[in-house]
Amino acid sequence: PQANAAIELAGTTLVLLPLCAVVVADGIDSAWRSFQQGERWADTAWVLQWSVRAWVPLGFLLLMCAGLASALRAILALAKK
């Protein structure tokens, strides 16, 4: 259990959280630019393309929250001994 918790903590903090942070930051920027430019798909008149682009950073933000919960669980498991 100690080794599993250490691996989970390392993987979460070194891989998952930084990846999610980059995708959230870039996704918010992309959605904001799409909103400002009034971007729409070529074959439709649907003007809400920015709302579809906003789902990507939202999903990764939720994944980041789950990763934080997993990291806290691993920290508690390591602290128990």
Side-chain angles (χ1 to χ4, degrees):
Q2 295 286 341
N4 288 344
I7 292 170
E8 186 170 349
L9 180 61
T12 301
T13 56
L14 296 176
V15 177
L16 182 67
L17 295 179
L19 173 71
C20 287
V22 168
V23 171
V24 167
D26 287 344
I28 289 173
D29 184 48
S30 174
W32 180 247
R33 273 187 281 118
S34 179
F35 175 73
Q36 286 180 326
Q37 294 172 357
E39 194 172 16
R40 58 179 77 187
W41 281 289
D43 50 336
T44 66
W46 194 41
V47 296
L48 298 177
Q49 185 175 0
W50 63 269
S51 65
V52 174
R53 287 182 182 250
W55 283 105
V56 173
L58 180 64
F60 274 87
L61 186 65
L62 292 173
L63 179 62
M64 185 185 289
C65 291
L68 286 172
S70 175
L72 288 174
R73 200 174 319 119
I75 290 171
L76 289 175
L78 288 172
K80 278 185 182 178
K81 291 185 181 182

